[in-house]
Amino acid sequence: MRSSDILPEMPADGPTPSDLLLQRYMDDELRPAERRELEVRLQTEPELAKQLATMRGLSGVLRDAREEPAPLGVGFAERAWSRFRTEEVVPVRSLHETLRLWTLVAAVLVVVLGAAFWLLESDGPADLTASPKKSEAHKLLEELDTRAESLKMESLDGGTQAPAKRRDARK
Amino acid sequence: MGSERERAEDGTEERGNPGLEYDNNEDRVLVERFIRARDASADPATAEREMESAFRMIVVRHQERVHRLVHGYTKDPLEAEDVTQEVFVKLFRKLDSFQWDSAFYTWLYRIAVNTAMDWMGKRKRRPVQLSEDITLHERIDQTLELVEEPDAPLLQSERAEITRRILDELPEQYRSVLYLREYEDLSYLEIAAALGCSLGTVESRLFRARAQFRRILEARFPELLQ
């Protein structure tokens, strides 16, 4: 009989309490009282006993495949120590390098941002030619300034000429 | 039935756990000796000798287990030694963070599993080698080609090779839990500490890992289960 005939497919929602109980028994994870209780059941419930046998068979297949690698070469501990002492300084050096790099990046950022701020604040040609809209706005502003100036001059002139005009009108 | 933790703790006491063959106290003495020497402001040459001595004693105590575990992932002797060295280097860098509220070697296992997983991740990011770019079935077929008489019962070495190759195809978290249980004989509590997960997770993961392994094995080699 194949093991699939004994052990049902694993339910989609995980192992059942019975599955876990058998697994704990097999893995020697039950308390003595629980073991004894299950052993009584195993004697009277053949299906449960078969399920356990299948689980043990599978565990046996896995354990038989345990591989013993070739032993580590002589002097492994010395090599590990040497590596430990060599690599110990690496993070410190990396930290210095990282700090130096970030200092450089910060300096570049300060220069770039400072230059950008200066350009935005100034009336330099770069600011006006950067965008046609800006250039038009600038022209409009200049025109408005000119007209405001002329209006101001007219109003000043008007202020001195108005009484004379009023006198002429009375005549 | 007692609580999960009670059960696991009882289990650890009852089952003659091989992990307990290790004397945690001896590890602690060596670790403290290393830290004392490292932090001493006295003669640097003496401190260096003391540190090296403690380091080597700890490595010798655990190198075999760590190496076997790592080799299970790398499958290559040179890579296994390199990764095992890396495990001990990381261990000694992190010594100060260990609180001694669990067994020293389970913490070491945790570092070993994580380092091996990192190694696996790096390997996956490497360009695929021709020899790696084949399916499980192709690899098993390659194993079977080595069998001189296909109809003859599989030799133990062939069965083991097939088993290992199927194991390699499992998701890493399933493989880790199976390694630690079946090959390192750790208890559920120790596996939970080594993998940094709960006991319930260990149990269900172990069950699912075994179920998935069985499904693949049954599909290809039902005779291995008989």
Side-chain angles (χ1 to χ4, degrees), chain A:
Chain A
M1 183 180 284
R2 286 178 56 177
S3 58
S4 56
D5 299 327
I6 305 164
L7 192 63
E9 282 297 307
M10 190 177 66
D13 56 347
T16 64
S18 173
D19 293 331
L20 291 180
L21 186 66
L22 281 177
Q23 182 173 257
R24 284 176 204 149
Y25 179 77
M26 184 180 75
D27 290 333
D28 209 2
E29 292 279 346
L30 288 180
R31 292 188 299 183
E34 292 170 330
R35 286 186 69 83
R36 282 193 294 275
E37 194 181 315
L38 183 64
E39 280 164 358
V40 169
R41 281 184 62 195
L42 286 168
Q43 285 174 354
T44 55
E45 296 177 38
E47 283 305 308
L48 202 63
K50 279 181 189 170
Q51 193 177 339
L52 177 66
T54 305
M55 289 171 83
R56 279 186 166 154
L58 187 77
S59 179
V61 170
L62 281 163
R63 284 172 183 255
D64 285 346
R66 175 175 158 151
E67 198 173 17
E68 282 297 335
L72 287 162
V74 178
F76 172 78
E78 286 81 352
R79 289 195 294 280
W81 168 253
S82 173
R83 182 165 169 180
F84 174 69
R85 294 309 271 162
T86 311
E87 290 188 3
E88 207 177 19
V89 294
V90 170
V92 179
R93 202 185 299 151
S94 307
L95 185 65
H96 283 310
E97 281 170 5
T98 310
L99 277 175
R100 220 165 31 215
L101 180 69
W102 279 109
T103 310
L104 188 66
V105 168
V108 169
L109 270 176
V110 166
V111 170
V112 168
L113 288 174
F117 183 75
W118 179 80
L119 283 173
L120 283 171
E121 285 296 301
S122 70
D123 293 323
D127 200 21
L128 298 174
T129 54
S131 149
K133 281 186 182 174
K134 267 192 182 176
S135 186
E136 282 170 21
H138 186 75
K139 281 177 189 168
L140 190 64
L141 280 172
E142 276 181 343
E143 197 179 330
L144 283 170
D145 278 348
T146 314
R147 287 184 65 184
E149 193 64 29
S150 62
L151 281 169
K152 192 177 165 186
M153 293 302 290
E154 275 175 23
S155 76
L156 283 174
D157 291 342
T160 51
Q161 287 168 6
K165 281 182 180 173
R166 278 198 294 272
R167 276 197 301 273
D168 292 342
R170 281 177 198 152
K171 285 177 188 176

Side-chain angles (χ1 to χ4, degrees), chain B residues 3-15:
Chain B
S3 72
E4 197 172 56
R5 182 158 292 280
E6 281 171 355
R7 189 188 67 246
E9 284 171 355
D10 286 355
T12 307
E13 286 166 9
E14 292 289 335
R15 59 194 292 275

